[in-house]
Amino acid sequence: MSKTLVIAEKPSVAQDIVRALTPLAGKFDKHDDHFENERYVVTSAVGHLVEIQAPEQFDVKRGKWSFAHLPVIPPYFDLKPVDKTKSRLAAVVRQAKRKDVSELINACDAGREGELIFRLIEQYAGGAKPLGKPVRRLWLQSMTPQAIREGFESLRSEQQMAGLADAARSRSEADWLVGINGTRAMTAFNSQGGGFFLTTVGRVQTPTLSLVVEREEKIRKFISRDYWEIHASFGAEAGEYPAKWFDPKWKKGEDVERRADRVWSAAEATAIANAVRGQPATVTEESKPTTQASPLLFDLTSLQREANGKFGFSAKTTLALAQSLYERHKALTYPRTDSRALPEDYLPVARQTFEMLADSGMRHLAPHAQTALAGNYVRPSKRIFDNSKVSDHFAIIPTLQAPSGLSEAEQKLYDLVVRRFMAVFFPSAEYTVTTRITTVAPTLPAARGSLPPEGALPGLGRPGAGQVDQHHFKTEGKVLVKPGWLAIYGKEAADEVEGGQAGDKGQNLVPVKPGEVVRTEQADPKGLKTKPPARYSEATLLGAMESAGKQIDDDELREAMQEKGLGTPATRAAIIEGLLTEKYMLREGREIIPTAKAFQLMTLLRGLEVEELSRADLTGEWEYKLAQMEKGQLSREAFMQQIAAMTERMVKKAKEYDRDTIPGDYATLQSPCPNCGGVVKENYRRYACVGKPGADPCGFSFGKSPAGRTFETAEAEQLLRDKKIGPLEGFRSKAGWPFTSEIVIKYDDEAHNYKLEFDFGDAKAEETGELVEFADASLGPCPICGSEVHEHGSNYVCTRAVPTAAQPLPSCSFKSGKVILQQPVERAQMEKLLATGKTDLLDKFVSMRTRRAFKAHLAWDAEAGKVNFEFAPSKFPPRPGVAKKTIAASPGRASAGAQKGTKKPAAMKKPAAKKAATPRKPAAGKAPSAALAAVIGTEPVARPAAVKKLWEYIKAHNLQDPQDKRSIVADDKLRAVFGKDRAGMFELAGLLGPHLG
């Protein structure tokens, strides 16, 4: 009997489908990777299982990223499995290829990405020729059993989904073309002076970065202005109340800093205060009731913004916590959503959720749930239940499962979602808002004594026969009458009012009788300064990404982006983290600040006239055209031709730019040129001497981005002043590997000028015999010999590991890097390691092999005689059938003491076996050639061990170039191995290949 294969996007959805179909189609048997009965096979992806790539013959590897190989516009795209989910892909493909499976149902999420996920899996399963099995589409906006059953009764045809499928593929391929070609073109442009300067761009990441850079440019150009406010206190029969002067005739103009309550001269502010002080005043006021509804339910972006503002969680952290609450604890619904409403058939589920909360025993939440049930608050409302406002997923709400064993951070986020879920059903908060205007009409004698000469201050008017101009003062009060939904938040209530002001926190006003005359008890001018716009936090940047389309002038593009913004809720956190990882931005407290590299990229895009890459217009234009494609009004071929043309134009602009520099807003350094004392100015690529006034430049300059790391202006200033800086991290070798080094400016006798050099500092003293003097305090005893450990260059070393006056010949080997795998190791952490045997858990290590971040302690490994990694025990129990991983450091593990080149330890890798991990065999040794055997011996050896022995030979014979430690000068034996006189340190493994085997 033939069967139908149902492919969902997530395992949880597959389970929901099975539960909904069981009453109709019969009981399902559960297998490792699918459910099955006589009619259906139900399985699932876990998001994207397949991604596109250029076919091998059209792709260009990073070593050949040059204009000669651009643009890369393949005629078609190949597919490759996503590394993390290869086993899941194999399981889904296995079901799709079954002979008894005659039909597929696409049950991935109802949207463009869900369509793409399924289509790529189907294509991959077919291989060289199509799978050839009919496909129908399950379109769900609600996951209740009844909604799922109704969805199966009204499956859509493949023809109905053709437009959405075309739009999904086109968006994916267009992103690839722009991202790959843009990144490679800008990298090639920036690497023209040598080295490898990775410059990533993308349709979403670059406009996001542009928002941050433009805000920083406004802050830097902002000129603060002085202004004054006049604060007064008035006495009534019932007591005093405060007020602030304002001009009722004021109208908004072009100057955005002008306000009705601001005065722009100290003399005018003082004159107003003097004129009203001690004078009688009349009072008018207006009181009216107002209501404040609760904010809408959370989508991912609003949850990330709220958690960042309340708890300081990054967008990435919030997403990870929400995912844990969804996947592990089953306590929240699917978090990667852009909807803030629920499906219209979800009312019974909402009521059941309140019943769960009322009985949950959570003392801070249960009483409010009980109040809602007793008051029948859970009722139909278009504000909450609206199918038209539900996209691929509905809003984030608690599930029917009460969680237990949550971490502190998970509990905070869960409470945030639960309170918002309950609040949206509660009545609106009710206030009485009172606006009181106090008018002072100074008498002529009082006014004359306080005013400056007639005509000096036109804003005050001219003295008349009995009075001068009246002065108005405003007082606002907002009193909470019925808390409504705010009762759920208690003391935090005022903070829950979106856009709330100080008065929203409750300001009771003393009463004033009708017709009562009050007296101006005090009136004082208060000097203030205008402030620049605030830097973005993650919360405000997420909001700016979400609303990016609102700033677009074109009506059609703005409409296309109305529901989209930059990125999606699922990708925005990753976009921000990517910009931080690539050092385009950095976090400082809760502020996000663009780096010099970011400004350089924006200068480049503006100079090359490819600014569409940095504006949200590009996304708006794409969304507009993709929407047309979904409706069948634009062909996929026409859209992709436009993308190819745009890509070619972008590469051509970069390739043909023929000027020495790019126009920009560049700095002038304060420190003089070390060679001639002239002025040093910044241009696009360099900091260069322009000479003394009236004199020619001397030729001194240094690159702004040596080895792919861009100097901040302050760093360039320090380097020029002190002729050294560092050690700095973030440099990249020509092969793209990160490293850390000091930078020095040294005099070059041949060039008769100063030049910039890397100074690795490690072996300088050992090679030259120069004696080392330590100026810093001891960090603690050496774990090998007990002598003192100090800072030296880019390392922490034992005093007996380098030549000193007390001991010219080194006798100890202890050395550990100040930066290990991009993780800075602070003095306090090294002191802790020397005192206790290990550091705190450090979280910024980055694997050289996978480029992924990982956490570990640094610990002294006595058996190996070096610093190694030690990993914290996993808080998740191992899956059944998976062998327990070794955590402790071992002698065979890569040493953490190496400053660079260290691979992520084997303990961090996933076992390849499905049922039980088997020990990995060591690499087989190969016989060295005669030339190599003359250097390392004749025993068979694996390539890593051969490289290690080769380095021992190089160190023992002092074959590193003193001017460039990364360059090896070959002696007769090495010349036979290298086939040339010199070789770079990163070439060694490749050069040994032909000699092993």
Side-chain angles (χ1 to χ4, degrees):
M1 179 179 175
S2 64
K3 297 188 177 184
T4 298
L5 174 64
V6 181
I7 301 178
E9 189 169 318
K10 298 175 287 292
S12 62
V13 176
Q15 290 175 338
D16 288 338
I17 289 172
V18 167
R19 279 193 287 266
L21 292 181
T22 297
L24 298 178
K27 186 172 181 283
F28 283 79
D29 294 324
K30 188 179 187 304
H31 300 269
D32 284 346
D33 47 40
H34 69 282
F35 301 87
E36 185 170 356
N37 67 9
E38 292 184 357
R39 185 176 170 188
Y40 292 104
V41 179
V42 181
T43 187
S44 76
V46 280
H48 282 276
L49 302 183
V50 184
E51 57 191 0
I52 60 173
Q53 66 174 359
E56 187 69 29
Q57 64 268 35
F58 297 104
D59 195 19
V60 179
K61 302 304 180 203
R62 182 163 61 199
K64 295 182 180 179
W65 282 17
S66 66
F67 287 127
H69 299 93
L70 293 174
V72 182
I73 304 178
Y76 64 92
F77 283 91
D78 279 345
L79 301 179
K80 65 175 180 179
V82 175
D83 287 338
K84 286 183 179 180
T85 53
K86 282 183 178 178
S87 60
R88 172 61 72 169
L89 175 63
V92 175
V93 169
R94 190 163 53 247
Q95 302 305 320
K97 288 185 172 181
R98 281 172 47 167
K99 291 183 179 179
D100 61 341
V101 168
S102 59
E103 179 190 38
L104 305 183
I105 291 179
N106 174 5
C108 291
D109 295 342
R112 194 189 294 159
E113 285 308 297
E115 196 67 25
L116 181 65
I117 287 169
F118 175 85
R119 297 281 176 160
L120 295 184
I121 292 172
E122 182 198 15
Q123 180 184 338
Y124 185 85
K129 53 185 179 180
L131 198 57
K133 297 181 181 182
V135 175
R136 289 190 290 168
R137 182 64 152 107
L138 177 67
W139 194 265
L140 298 176
Q141 290 186 307
S142 172
M143 294 308 298
T144 62
Q146 183 59 33
I148 293 172
R149 288 191 282 268
E150 289 173 0
F152 270 88
E153 290 171 5
S154 55
L155 294 168
R156 300 184 182 185
S157 68
E158 193 165 9
Q159 291 71 31
Q160 286 177 284
M161 307 310 298
L164 184 65
D166 283 349
R169 285 185 183 274
S170 299
R171 197 279 310 154
S172 176
E173 293 173 9
D175 270 346
W176 191 96
L177 288 170
V178 170
I180 292 294
N181 285 283
T183 293
R184 294 181 181 183
M186 299 310 138
T187 299
F189 187 92
N190 281 334
S191 302
Q192 286 173 327
F196 179 75
F197 184 5
L198 180 62
T199 310
T200 60
V201 299
R203 176 180 63 93
V204 177
Q205 77 161 48
T206 310
T208 301
L209 181 63
S210 178
L211 293 172
V212 181
V213 169
E214 288 172 8
R215 175 66 60 87
E216 191 69 20
E217 286 174 336
K218 288 179 181 176
I219 292 170
R220 292 184 181 184
K221 293 175 181 176
F222 184 83
I223 299 173
S224 184
R225 296 157 64 186
D226 294 328
Y227 72 93
W228 286 260
E229 294 176 350
I230 300 96
H231 293 256
S233 175
F234 293 94
E237 289 181 20
E240 290 190 7
Y241 62 91
K244 185 164 66 172
W245 178 90
F246 78 104
D247 180 2
K249 299 176 184 177
W250 178 84
K251 291 182 180 178
K252 187 180 289 187
E254 292 183 4
D255 189 343
V256 295
E257 290 179 344
R258 291 197 173 270
R259 306 274 195 281
D261 58 0
R262 291 182 177 180
V263 174
W264 295 92
S265 81
E268 184 176 354
T270 302
I272 293 172
N274 291 341
V276 301
R277 194 179 294 116
Q279 296 296 309
T282 57
V283 178
T284 59
E285 68 180 25
E286 180 184 356
S287 294
K288 59 182 179 180
T290 186
T291 60
Q292 171 72 49
S294 77
L296 296 174
L297 295 169
F298 283 124
D299 62 2
L300 179 58
T301 301
S302 59
L303 180 61
Q304 287 170 322
R305 294 182 65 187
E306 190 86 0
N308 182 255
K310 264 188 165 44
F311 311 127
F313 293 166
S314 69
K316 179 183 177 183
T317 298
T318 299
L319 177 56
L321 292 170
Q323 280 291 128
S324 176
L325 288 164
Y326 163 67
E327 291 176 356
R328 185 166 179 238
H329 298 286
K330 317 294 183 191
L332 292 186
T333 57
Y334 185 69
R336 295 170 182 259
T337 175
D338 60 357
S339 301
R340 300 188 72 175
L342 300 175
E344 290 165 13
D345 63 359
Y346 232 68
L347 183 65
V349 179
R351 190 171 286 118
Q352 289 171 347
T353 307
F354 269 91
E355 290 168 356
M356 178 277 291
L357 293 169
D359 296 334
S360 66
M362 290 183 276
R363 294 179 183 176
H364 59 304
L365 301 175
H368 303 299
Q370 291 163 358
T371 299
L373 291 171
N376 193 28
Y377 292 169
V378 187
R379 296 192 295 267
S381 165
K382 269 291 185 183
R383 191 167 181 267
I384 306 169
F385 304 100
D386 188 345
N387 286 348
S388 68
K389 294 178 181 175
V390 175
S391 56
D392 303 13
H393 305 280
F394 52 78
I396 305 170
I397 62 171
T399 64
L400 297 174
Q401 184 164 321
S404 60
L406 301 184
S407 68
E408 182 183 354
E410 287 171 337
Q411 187 68 53
K412 283 181 176 179
L413 200 72
Y414 181 72
D415 283 1
L416 207 61
V417 174
V418 172
R419 288 179 194 268
R420 179 64 67 89
F421 169 72
M422 291 194 295
V424 81
F425 289 95
F426 268 59
S428 296
E430 296 180 15
Y431 295 91
T432 297
V433 177
T434 301
T435 302
R436 179 178 294 171
I437 306 297
T438 307
T439 305
V440 185
T443 58
L444 186 59
R448 277 186 178 150
S450 60
L451 288 173
E454 182 178 324
L457 298 171
L460 285 173
R462 294 185 59 166
Q467 287 187 334
V468 294
D469 282 353
Q470 296 176 335
H471 295 295
H472 303 270
F473 292 79
K474 183 184 290 186
T475 311
E476 292 179 319
K478 189 173 184 180
V479 179
L480 185 63
V481 178
K482 290 184 181 178
W485 63 273
L486 289 174
I488 295 170
Y489 293 90
K491 292 180 180 179
E492 304 171 44
D495 298 329
E496 296 306 314
V497 180
E498 290 186 350
Q501 305 296 318
D504 296 331
K505 297 179 181 178
Q507 178 178 307
N508 285 299
L509 297 180
V510 298
V512 175
K513 295 176 183 177
E516 182 181 347
V517 176
V518 298
R519 179 180 174 81
T520 316
E521 301 292 349
Q522 276 187 306
D524 298 297
K526 183 178 181 181
L528 298 164
K529 289 181 177 289
T530 56
K531 294 180 180 179
R535 286 194 175 105
Y536 283 110
S537 64
E538 280 205 46
T540 55
L541 182 55
L542 285 166
M545 293 173 74
E546 188 177 38
S547 62
K550 294 176 182 175
Q551 280 73 53
I552 295 176
D553 293 331
D554 186 285
D555 291 339
E556 288 183 332
L557 302 189
R558 186 168 61 249
E559 179 67 24
M561 278 190 72
Q562 189 172 12
E563 301 298 327
K564 297 290 181 183
L566 287 172
T568 67
T571 61
R572 283 174 192 141
I575 293 294
I576 293 173
E577 289 297 326
L579 290 168
L580 291 163
T581 299
E582 288 298 333
K583 304 293 189 258
Y584 280 121
M585 309 187 309
L586 54 89
R587 284 191 188 99
E588 206 168 88
R590 293 195 183 183
E591 291 185 331
I592 290 179
I593 303 173
T595 62
K597 183 179 178 181
F599 281 95
Q600 192 170 10
L601 174 60
M602 291 304 143
T603 299
L604 176 60
L605 297 179
R606 293 164 186 166
L608 295 179
E609 298 178 347
V610 287
E611 286 185 83
E612 62 267 30
L613 271 180
S614 65
R615 295 200 310 262
D617 304 45
L618 180 61
T619 290
E621 185 178 337
W622 284 20
E623 289 298 340
Y624 174 68
K625 291 177 179 177
L626 292 172
Q628 286 184 309
M629 197 183 301
E630 289 178 18
K631 298 169 187 173
Q633 297 169 354
L634 177 69
S635 72
R636 171 164 150 73
E637 292 71 24
F639 177 78
M640 293 310 299
Q641 284 173 3
Q642 293 170 9
I643 297 299
M646 173 193 160
T647 302
E648 289 171 345
R649 174 187 169 277
M650 175 176 60
V651 172
K652 184 179 179 183
K653 284 279 189 179
K655 189 184 293 188
E656 295 180 354
Y657 192 86
D658 58 358
R659 279 156 279 175
D660 292 335
T661 188
I662 287 177
D665 185 11
Y666 296 120
T668 299
L669 301 186
Q670 299 300 309
S671 300
C673 168
N675 194 51
C676 72
V679 176
V680 176
K681 287 190 174 183
E682 176 190 11
N683 59 41
Y684 178 70
R685 296 190 189 278
R686 309 185 70 77
Y687 288 96
C689 174
V690 297
K692 293 180 178 178
D696 292 332
C698 69
F700 167 76
S701 71
F702 62 91
K704 285 168 62 176
S705 305
R709 184 198 186 279
T710 305
F711 286 122
E712 298 293 329
T713 306
E715 291 175 336
E717 191 76 67
Q718 182 183 342
L719 176 62
L720 195 60
R721 183 183 67 242
D722 302 338
K723 296 190 176 57
K724 68 175 183 178
I725 190 172
L728 302 175
E729 57 180 306
F731 298 106
R732 289 178 186 263
S733 70
K734 288 183 180 179
W737 298 107
F739 68 92
T740 300
S741 178
E742 289 186 347
I743 299 281
V744 296
I745 293 179
K746 285 186 174 179
Y747 190 77
D748 185 340
D749 292 324
E750 291 184 11
H752 303 296
N753 210 327
Y754 285 81
K755 69 174 186 177
L756 180 149
E757 290 184 1
F758 289 102
D759 186 353
F760 296 97
D762 298 359
K764 179 170 59 179
E766 298 170 35
E767 292 175 1
T768 63
E770 179 184 339
L771 299 182
V772 175
E773 292 184 15
F774 297 107
D776 64 315
S778 170
L779 289 104
C782 170
I784 297 177
C785 70
S787 298
E788 293 181 346
V789 173
H790 290 268
E791 289 187 50
H792 176 53
S794 56
N795 290 302
Y796 297 110
V797 300
C798 173
T799 52
R800 294 187 179 180
V802 293
T804 61
Q807 184 181 319
L809 290 176
S811 62
C812 182
S813 61
F814 179 79
K815 177 174 74 172
S816 186
K818 289 183 182 177
V819 179
I820 297 171
L821 295 184
Q822 302 187 51
Q823 166 71 60
V825 182
E826 306 294 344
R827 276 186 65 95
Q829 292 298 332
M830 181 51 61
E831 288 172 350
K832 188 163 188 176
L833 185 148
L834 297 174
T836 67
K838 69 178 181 181
T839 65
D840 294 333
L841 188 66
L842 307 178
D843 61 359
K844 293 184 176 63
F845 295 108
V846 177
S847 165
M848 293 286 282
R849 184 178 65 84
T850 66
R851 304 294 178 91
R852 292 178 186 152
F854 66 95
K855 300 177 183 180
H857 300 275
L858 293 178
W860 175 247
D861 186 338
E863 187 178 350
K866 57 190 175 184
V867 174
N868 263 331
F869 296 109
E870 181 178 304
F871 298 95
S874 173
K875 60 183 179 180
F876 301 109
R879 297 192 306 273
V882 178
K884 190 175 181 181
K885 298 178 184 178
T886 303
I887 299 296
S890 63
R893 176 157 304 171
S895 167
Q899 185 175 322
K900 57 184 183 292
T902 309
K903 290 188 177 180
K904 190 173 177 179
M908 295 293 286
K909 299 175 185 174
K910 290 185 178 179
K914 293 178 184 175
K915 295 183 178 178
T918 54
R920 188 171 180 177
K921 294 180 180 178
K926 295 183 179 180
S929 68
L932 183 58
V935 179
I936 68 171
T938 57
E939 292 184 8
V941 65
R943 190 183 303 194
V947 173
K948 185 177 179 182
K949 287 187 176 185
L950 193 67
W951 264 111
E952 290 171 355
Y953 179 87
I954 291 166
K955 288 280 190 182
H957 292 79
N958 293 324
L959 297 179
Q960 282 177 279
D961 186 338
Q963 302 301 317
D964 180 6
K965 299 294 189 298
R966 294 177 296 171
S967 182
I968 294 95
V969 181
D971 61 6
D972 290 339
K973 290 183 178 180
L974 287 186
R975 200 172 292 112
V977 176
F978 294 167
K980 52 185 178 181
D981 293 333
R982 302 173 73 92
M985 61 190 291
F986 298 108
E987 293 182 77
L988 296 184
L991 292 172
L992 292 192
H995 293 276
L996 291 171

